[in-house]
Amino acid sequence: MQEIRIPVGISSCLLGEEVRFDGGHKRDNYIIRTLGQFFHFVPFCPEVAIGLGTPRQSLRLIKIDGEVRVRGNKDHDLDVTDALRTTGRVQAERHPELCGYILKSKSPSCGMERVTLYEGWTNDRPPEKKGVGQFAEVFMSARPELPCEEEGRLGDPVLRDNFITRVFTLHRWRRMVHEGLSAAALLDFHTRHKLLILAHHPQTYTALGRLLANLRQVDLELLAADYLLTLMRGLKHIATRGKNANVLQHLAGYLRDELDGGDREELARVIDDYREGRVPLIVPITLLRHHFRRHPHPYVAGQVYLEPHPPELMLRNGV
């Protein structure tokens, strides 16, 4: 366990706090027991924050005259849309230290996507799962650099790896800035993350390279802000097996003159096995790390790609 845990916002009910409309909670043991070893959770319930009691009537996401509103399910005159949206802006400004946010799925306040959206109050048109919680929508818009995910989607190994990779990347960025932003520090950060970026989105890799080409000609803080937003948007793209395999082959190239024919063939076969879905990512990564321990390379040694998050999380065992 690391000494300083990463600050991550979270819907309070996921930590077991009894703040839901029915007076219950949605405690998530994976979040608490596993991610809690590395994350310092900052809980928040927007519905309680705007003054709704517990228990309370449930809320409904409803489109009225083309506008999405959050209304009481029983008391149709209860409209908390503006209050939730204001709270989203306030919460975004109040916690600049956050490196991620875990939201409650399906919630008309906190859901990121596929929230049940009703068309008016009548039942002649079935609701569709295409809404976004109004707190979440405003919060995410105000903090586009911040990794956000729903607890339900964290059950998907690929989405879980993607979210946690982004959280740890933002944490490394914040630590770099805290230690002193400079052109040298920014270039070092970029160099260490090159292969990670390439595995997620080659276009972002190219865009960031162009951005840093003007490093001496622009305001450093403005450039750093552009860099961070471009980086975090790029990392939202999934690191597919194909893109990962290309990066693995790139790493294998640094061993071309160090390995004998048998070792090279084995490494190529393992990378191909990964590309074809026969083994998880941890298998070729482990083999590469073994070879680089025997044949160190300074550039590779600094690459975050080989260990973007704590191995105890075992995220690469499932992707």
Side-chain angles (χ1 to χ4, degrees), residues 2-62:
Q2 59 185 42
E3 294 181 3
I4 300 176
R5 292 180 297 162
I6 301 174
V8 172
I10 190 169
S11 294
S12 301
C13 60
L14 298 175
L15 296 183
E17 295 186 20
E18 297 176 340
V19 295
R20 286 178 59 79
F21 73 94
D22 58 1
H25 61 78
K26 287 291 182 178
R27 177 186 173 92
D28 189 298
N29 287 329
Y30 174 77
I31 290 173
I32 294 171
R33 295 178 180 176
T34 302
L35 298 186
Q37 298 177 67
F38 303 95
F39 295 169
H40 164 65
F41 291 118
V42 180
F44 186 73
C45 176
E47 294 180 16
V48 170
I50 64 174
L52 298 180
T54 304
R56 58 185 175 274
Q57 67 172 304
S58 60
L59 300 175
R60 174 180 289 194
L61 206 61
I62 182 167

Coordinates of all heavy atoms in Angstrom, one line a residue, residues 2-62:
Q2 N 0.5 2.2 -0.9 CA 1.3 3.4 -0.9 C 1.0 4.3 0.3 O -0.1 4.2 0.8 CB 1.1 4.1 -2.2 CG -0.3 4.5 -2.5 CD -0.5 5.1 -3.9 OE1 0.1 4.7 -4.8 NE2 -1.3 6.2 -3.9
E3 N 2.0 5.1 0.6 CA 1.8 6.0 1.8 C 0.7 7.0 1.6 O -0.1 7.3 2.5 CB 3.1 6.6 2.2 CG 4.2 5.6 2.6 CD 5.5 6.3 3.0 OE1 5.5 7.5 3.0 OE2 6.4 5.6 3.3
I4 N 0.7 7.7 0.5 CA -0.3 8.7 0.2 C -1.3 8.2 -0.8 O -0.9 7.8 -1.9 CB 0.4 10.0 -0.4 CG1 1.4 10.5 0.6 CG2 -0.6 11.0 -0.7 CD1 2.2 11.7 0.1
R5 N -2.5 8.0 -0.4 CA -3.5 7.5 -1.3 C -4.1 8.7 -2.2 O -4.1 9.8 -1.8 CB -4.7 6.9 -0.5 CG -4.3 5.6 0.2 CD -5.4 5.0 1.0 NE -5.8 5.9 2.1 CZ -7.0 5.8 2.7 NH1 -7.9 4.9 2.3 NH2 -7.3 6.7 3.7
I6 N -4.5 8.3 -3.3 CA -4.9 9.3 -4.4 C -6.3 9.7 -4.1 O -7.2 8.9 -3.9 CB -4.9 8.6 -5.7 CG1 -3.4 8.1 -6.0 CG2 -5.3 9.6 -6.8 CD1 -3.3 7.3 -7.3
P7 N -6.6 11.1 -4.0 CA -7.9 11.6 -3.8 C -8.9 11.3 -5.0 O -8.6 11.7 -6.1 CB -7.7 13.1 -3.5 CG -6.4 13.4 -4.3 CD -5.6 12.2 -4.2
V8 N -10.0 10.6 -4.7 CA -10.9 10.3 -5.7 C -12.3 10.6 -5.1 O -12.7 10.1 -4.1 CB -10.8 8.8 -6.1 CG1 -12.0 8.4 -7.0 CG2 -9.5 8.5 -6.8
G9 N -13.1 11.4 -5.9 CA -14.5 11.6 -5.5 C -15.4 10.4 -5.7 O -15.0 9.5 -6.6
I10 N -16.4 10.3 -4.9 CA -17.3 9.1 -5.1 C -18.7 9.4 -4.6 O -18.9 10.2 -3.6 CB -16.7 7.9 -4.3 CG1 -17.4 6.6 -4.6 CG2 -16.7 8.2 -2.8 CD1 -16.7 5.4 -4.1
S11 N -19.7 8.8 -5.2 CA -21.1 8.9 -4.7 C -21.1 8.2 -3.3 O -20.7 7.0 -3.2 CB -22.0 8.2 -5.6 OG -22.1 8.9 -6.9
S12 N -21.6 8.9 -2.3 CA -21.6 8.5 -0.9 C -22.2 7.1 -0.7 O -21.7 6.3 0.1 CB -22.3 9.4 0.0 OG -21.7 10.7 -0.1
C13 N -23.2 6.8 -1.4 CA -23.9 5.5 -1.2 C -23.0 4.3 -1.5 O -23.2 3.2 -1.0 CB -25.2 5.4 -2.1 SG -24.9 5.6 -3.8
L14 N -22.0 4.5 -2.4 CA -21.1 3.4 -2.8 C -20.2 3.0 -1.7 O -19.6 1.9 -1.7 CB -20.3 3.7 -4.0 CG -21.2 4.0 -5.3 CD1 -20.3 4.5 -6.4 CD2 -22.0 2.7 -5.7
L15 N -20.0 3.9 -0.7 CA -19.2 3.6 0.5 C -20.0 3.0 1.6 O -19.5 2.8 2.7 CB -18.5 4.9 1.0 CG -17.5 5.5 0.0 CD1 -16.8 6.7 0.6 CD2 -16.4 4.4 -0.5
G16 N -21.3 2.8 1.4 CA -22.2 2.3 2.4 C -22.9 3.3 3.2 O -23.6 3.0 4.2
E17 N -22.8 4.6 2.8 CA -23.6 5.6 3.6 C -25.1 5.5 3.2 O -25.4 5.4 2.0 CB -23.0 7.0 3.2 CG -21.6 7.2 3.7 CD -21.1 8.6 3.5 OE1 -22.0 9.5 3.3 OE2 -19.9 8.9 3.5
E18 N -25.9 5.6 4.1 CA -27.4 5.4 3.9 C -28.0 6.7 3.5 O -28.7 7.4 4.3 CB -28.0 4.8 5.2 CG -27.4 3.4 5.5 CD -28.0 2.9 6.8 OE1 -28.5 3.7 7.7 OE2 -27.9 1.6 7.0
V19 N -27.8 7.1 2.3 CA -28.2 8.4 1.8 C -29.2 8.2 0.6 O -29.6 9.2 0.0 CB -27.0 9.2 1.3 CG1 -26.2 9.6 2.5 CG2 -26.2 8.5 0.3
R20 N -29.5 7.0 0.2 CA -30.4 6.8 -1.0 C -31.8 7.2 -0.6 O -32.2 7.3 0.5 CB -30.3 5.4 -1.5 CG -29.0 5.1 -2.3 CD -28.8 3.7 -2.7 NE -29.9 3.3 -3.6 CZ -30.0 3.6 -4.9 NH1 -29.1 4.4 -5.5 NH2 -31.0 3.2 -5.6
F21 N -32.6 7.3 -1.7 CA -34.0 7.8 -1.5 C -34.8 6.9 -0.5 O -35.7 7.3 0.2 CB -34.7 7.9 -2.8 CG -35.1 6.5 -3.4 CD1 -36.3 6.0 -3.2 CD2 -34.2 5.9 -4.2 CE1 -36.7 4.7 -3.8 CE2 -34.5 4.6 -4.8 CZ -35.7 4.1 -4.5
D22 N -34.5 5.6 -0.5 CA -35.2 4.6 0.4 C -34.5 4.4 1.7 O -34.9 3.6 2.5 CB -35.3 3.3 -0.3 CG -33.9 2.7 -0.7 OD1 -32.9 3.3 -0.5 OD2 -33.9 1.6 -1.4
G23 N -33.5 5.3 2.0 CA -32.8 5.2 3.2 C -31.7 4.1 3.2 O -31.0 3.9 4.3
G24 N -31.5 3.5 2.1 CA -30.5 2.4 2.0 C -29.2 2.9 1.4 O -28.9 4.1 1.3
H25 N -28.3 2.0 1.0 CA -27.0 2.3 0.4 C -26.7 1.3 -0.7 O -27.5 0.4 -1.0 CB -25.9 2.2 1.4 CG -25.8 0.9 2.1 ND1 -25.1 -0.2 1.4 CD2 -26.2 0.4 3.2 CE1 -25.1 -1.2 2.2 NE2 -25.8 -1.0 3.3
K26 N -25.6 1.5 -1.4 CA -25.2 0.6 -2.5 C -23.7 0.3 -2.3 O -22.9 0.4 -3.2 CB -25.4 1.3 -3.9 CG -26.9 1.3 -4.3 CD -27.4 -0.1 -4.6 CE -28.9 -0.1 -5.1 NZ -29.4 -1.4 -5.4
R27 N -23.4 -0.1 -1.1 CA -22.0 -0.4 -0.7 C -21.3 -1.3 -1.8 O -21.9 -2.3 -2.1 CB -21.9 -1.0 0.6 CG -20.5 -1.5 1.1 CD -20.6 -2.2 2.4 NE -19.3 -2.8 2.7 CZ -18.4 -2.2 3.5 NH1 -18.6 -1.0 4.0 NH2 -17.2 -2.7 3.7
D28 N -20.2 -0.9 -2.3 CA -19.4 -1.7 -3.3 C -18.1 -2.2 -2.6 O -17.2 -1.4 -2.4 CB -19.2 -0.8 -4.5 CG -18.6 -1.6 -5.7 OD1 -17.5 -2.2 -5.5 OD2 -19.3 -1.7 -6.7
N29 N -18.0 -3.5 -2.4 CA -16.9 -4.0 -1.7 C -15.6 -3.9 -2.5 O -14.5 -3.8 -1.9 CB -17.2 -5.5 -1.3 CG -18.1 -5.6 -0.2 OD1 -18.2 -4.7 0.7 ND2 -18.9 -6.6 -0.1
Y30 N -15.7 -4.1 -3.8 CA -14.5 -3.9 -4.6 C -13.9 -2.5 -4.5 O -12.7 -2.4 -4.3 CB -14.7 -4.2 -6.1 CG -13.5 -4.0 -7.0 CD1 -12.5 -4.9 -7.0 CD2 -13.4 -2.8 -7.8 CE1 -11.3 -4.6 -7.8 CE2 -12.3 -2.6 -8.5 CZ -11.3 -3.5 -8.6 OH -10.2 -3.2 -9.3
I31 N -14.7 -1.5 -4.6 CA -14.3 -0.2 -4.4 C -13.7 0.1 -3.1 O -12.6 0.6 -3.0 CB -15.5 0.8 -4.7 CG1 -15.9 0.8 -6.2 CG2 -15.1 2.2 -4.2 CD1 -17.1 1.6 -6.5
I32 N -14.4 -0.4 -2.0 CA -13.9 -0.1 -0.7 C -12.7 -0.9 -0.3 O -11.7 -0.4 0.2 CB -15.0 -0.4 0.3 CG1 -16.2 0.5 0.1 CG2 -14.5 -0.3 1.8 CD1 -17.4 0.2 0.9
R33 N -12.7 -2.2 -0.6 CA -11.6 -3.1 -0.1 C -10.4 -3.1 -1.0 O -9.2 -3.2 -0.5 CB -12.1 -4.5 0.1 CG -13.2 -4.7 1.1 CD -13.7 -6.1 1.2 NE -14.7 -6.3 2.2 CZ -15.4 -7.4 2.5 NH1 -15.1 -8.5 1.7 NH2 -16.3 -7.5 3.4
T34 N -10.6 -3.0 -2.3 CA -9.5 -3.1 -3.2 C -9.0 -1.7 -3.6 O -7.8 -1.4 -3.4 CB -9.9 -3.9 -4.5 OG1 -10.3 -5.2 -4.1 CG2 -8.7 -4.0 -5.4
L35 N -9.9 -0.9 -4.2 CA -9.4 0.4 -4.6 C -9.1 1.3 -3.4 O -8.3 2.2 -3.5 CB -10.5 1.1 -5.5 CG -10.8 0.4 -6.8 CD1 -11.7 1.2 -7.7 CD2 -9.5 0.1 -7.6
G36 N -9.8 1.0 -2.3 CA -9.6 1.8 -1.1 C -8.2 1.7 -0.5 O -7.7 2.5 0.3
Q37 N -7.4 0.7 -1.0 CA -6.0 0.6 -0.6 C -5.2 1.7 -1.2 O -4.1 2.0 -0.7 CB -5.5 -0.8 -1.0 CG -6.1 -2.0 -0.3 CD -5.6 -3.3 -0.9 OE1 -4.4 -3.6 -0.6 NE2 -6.3 -4.0 -1.6
F38 N -5.6 2.2 -2.3 CA -4.8 3.2 -3.1 C -5.5 4.5 -3.2 O -4.8 5.5 -3.5 CB -4.5 2.6 -4.5 CG -3.8 1.3 -4.4 CD1 -4.5 0.1 -4.5 CD2 -2.4 1.2 -4.2 CE1 -3.9 -1.2 -4.4 CE2 -1.8 0.0 -4.2 CZ -2.5 -1.2 -4.3
F39 N -6.8 4.5 -3.0 CA -7.6 5.8 -3.2 C -8.1 6.3 -1.9 O -8.5 5.5 -1.0 CB -8.8 5.6 -4.1 CG -8.5 5.2 -5.5 CD1 -9.5 4.8 -6.4 CD2 -7.2 5.3 -6.0 CE1 -9.2 4.4 -7.7 CE2 -6.9 4.9 -7.3 CZ -8.0 4.5 -8.2
H40 N -8.0 7.6 -1.7 CA -8.6 8.3 -0.5 C -9.9 8.8 -1.0 O -9.9 9.8 -1.9 CB -7.7 9.4 0.0 CG -8.5 10.3 0.9 ND1 -9.0 10.0 2.1 CD2 -8.8 11.7 0.7 CE1 -9.6 11.0 2.7 NE2 -9.5 12.0 1.9
F41 N -11.0 8.3 -0.6 CA -12.3 8.6 -1.2 C -12.9 9.9 -0.5 O -12.8 10.1 0.7 CB -13.3 7.5 -1.0 CG -13.0 6.3 -1.9 CD1 -12.7 5.1 -1.3 CD2 -13.0 6.4 -3.3 CE1 -12.4 4.0 -2.1 CE2 -12.6 5.3 -4.1 CZ -12.4 4.1 -3.5
V42 N -13.4 10.8 -1.4 CA -14.1 12.0 -1.0 C -15.5 11.8 -1.3 O -16.0 12.0 -2.4 CB -13.5 13.2 -1.7 CG1 -14.2 14.5 -1.2 CG2 -12.0 13.3 -1.4
P43 N -16.4 11.4 -0.3 CA -17.8 11.1 -0.6 C -18.6 12.3 -0.8 O -18.4 13.3 -0.1 CB -18.2 10.2 0.6 CG -17.3 10.7 1.7 CD -16.0 11.1 1.1
F44 N -19.7 12.2 -1.6 CA -20.6 13.3 -1.8 C -21.9 12.7 -2.4 O -21.9 11.9 -3.3 CB -20.0 14.3 -2.8 CG -20.8 15.5 -2.9 CD1 -20.9 16.5 -1.9 CD2 -21.6 15.8 -4.1 CE1 -21.7 17.6 -2.1 CE2 -22.3 16.9 -4.3 CZ -22.4 17.9 -3.3
C45 N -23.0 13.2 -1.8 CA -24.3 12.9 -2.4 C -25.0 14.2 -2.7 O -25.4 14.9 -1.9 CB -25.2 12.1 -1.3 SG -26.9 11.8 -1.9
P46 N -25.2 14.4 -4.0 CA -25.7 15.7 -4.4 C -27.2 15.9 -4.0 O -27.6 17.0 -3.7 CB -25.6 15.7 -5.9 CG -25.5 14.3 -6.3 CD -24.7 13.6 -5.2
E47 N -27.9 14.8 -3.9 CA -29.3 14.9 -3.5 C -29.5 15.4 -2.0 O -30.3 16.2 -1.7 CB -30.1 13.6 -3.8 CG -30.2 13.3 -5.3 CD -30.9 12.0 -5.6 OE1 -31.6 11.5 -4.7 OE2 -30.7 11.5 -6.7
V48 N -28.6 14.8 -1.2 CA -28.6 15.2 0.2 C -28.0 16.6 0.3 O -28.5 17.5 1.1 CB -27.8 14.2 1.1 CG1 -27.5 14.8 2.5 CG2 -28.5 12.9 1.1
A49 N -27.0 16.9 -0.5 CA -26.4 18.3 -0.4 C -27.4 19.4 -0.8 O -27.2 20.5 -0.3 CB -25.2 18.3 -1.4
I50 N -28.4 19.1 -1.6 CA -29.3 20.2 -2.0 C -30.5 20.2 -1.0 O -31.5 21.0 -1.2 CB -29.8 20.0 -3.4 CG1 -30.6 18.7 -3.6 CG2 -28.7 20.1 -4.4 CD1 -31.3 18.6 -5.0
G51 N -30.4 19.4 0.0 CA -31.5 19.5 1.1 C -32.5 18.5 1.1 O -33.5 18.5 1.9
L52 N -32.5 17.5 0.2 CA -33.5 16.4 0.2 C -33.2 15.5 1.4 O -32.1 15.1 1.7 CB -33.4 15.6 -1.1 CG -33.8 16.5 -2.4 CD1 -33.7 15.6 -3.6 CD2 -35.2 17.1 -2.3
G53 N -34.3 15.1 2.1 CA -34.1 14.2 3.2 C -33.9 12.8 2.9 O -33.9 12.4 1.7
T54 N -33.6 12.0 3.9 CA -33.5 10.5 3.7 C -34.3 9.8 4.8 O -34.1 10.1 6.0 CB -32.0 10.1 3.9 OG1 -31.2 10.9 3.0 CG2 -31.8 8.6 3.7
P55 N -35.3 9.0 4.4 CA -35.7 8.7 3.0 C -36.4 9.8 2.4 O -36.8 10.8 3.1 CB -36.5 7.4 3.2 CG -37.1 7.6 4.6 CD -36.0 8.2 5.4
R56 N -36.7 9.7 1.1 CA -37.3 10.7 0.3 C -38.0 10.1 -0.9 O -37.7 8.9 -1.2 CB -36.3 11.8 -0.1 CG -35.2 11.2 -1.0 CD -34.1 12.3 -1.3 NE -33.0 11.7 -2.0 CZ -31.9 11.1 -1.4 NH1 -31.9 11.1 0.0 NH2 -30.9 10.6 -2.1
Q57 N -38.8 10.8 -1.6 CA -39.4 10.3 -2.8 C -38.3 10.2 -3.9 O -37.3 11.0 -3.9 CB -40.5 11.2 -3.3 CG -40.1 12.5 -3.8 CD -41.3 13.3 -4.5 OE1 -41.8 12.8 -5.4 NE2 -41.6 14.5 -4.0
S58 N -38.4 9.2 -4.7 CA -37.4 9.1 -5.8 C -37.6 10.2 -6.8 O -38.6 10.8 -6.9 CB -37.6 7.7 -6.5 OG -38.9 7.6 -7.0
L59 N -36.5 10.4 -7.6 CA -36.5 11.4 -8.6 C -36.6 10.8 -10.0 O -36.3 9.6 -10.2 CB -35.2 12.2 -8.5 CG -35.0 13.0 -7.2 CD1 -33.7 13.7 -7.2 CD2 -36.2 14.0 -7.0
R60 N -37.0 11.5 -11.0 CA -37.2 11.0 -12.3 C -36.6 12.1 -13.3 O -36.8 13.3 -13.2 CB -38.7 10.8 -12.6 CG -39.0 10.5 -14.1 CD -40.4 10.3 -14.3 NE -41.0 9.1 -13.7 CZ -42.1 8.5 -14.0 NH1 -42.9 9.1 -14.8 NH2 -42.5 7.4 -13.4
L61 N -35.8 11.5 -14.2 CA -35.3 12.3 -15.3 C -36.3 12.4 -16.4 O -36.7 11.4 -17.0 CB -34.0 11.7 -15.9 CG -32.9 12.6 -16.5 CD1 -32.4 13.6 -15.5 CD2 -31.8 11.7 -17.0
I62 N -36.8 13.6 -16.7 CA -37.9 13.7 -17.6 C -37.7 14.9 -18.6 O -37.2 15.9 -18.2 CB -39.2 13.9 -16.8 CG1 -40.5 14.0 -17.7 CG2 -39.2 15.2 -15.9 CD1 -41.8 13.9 -17.0

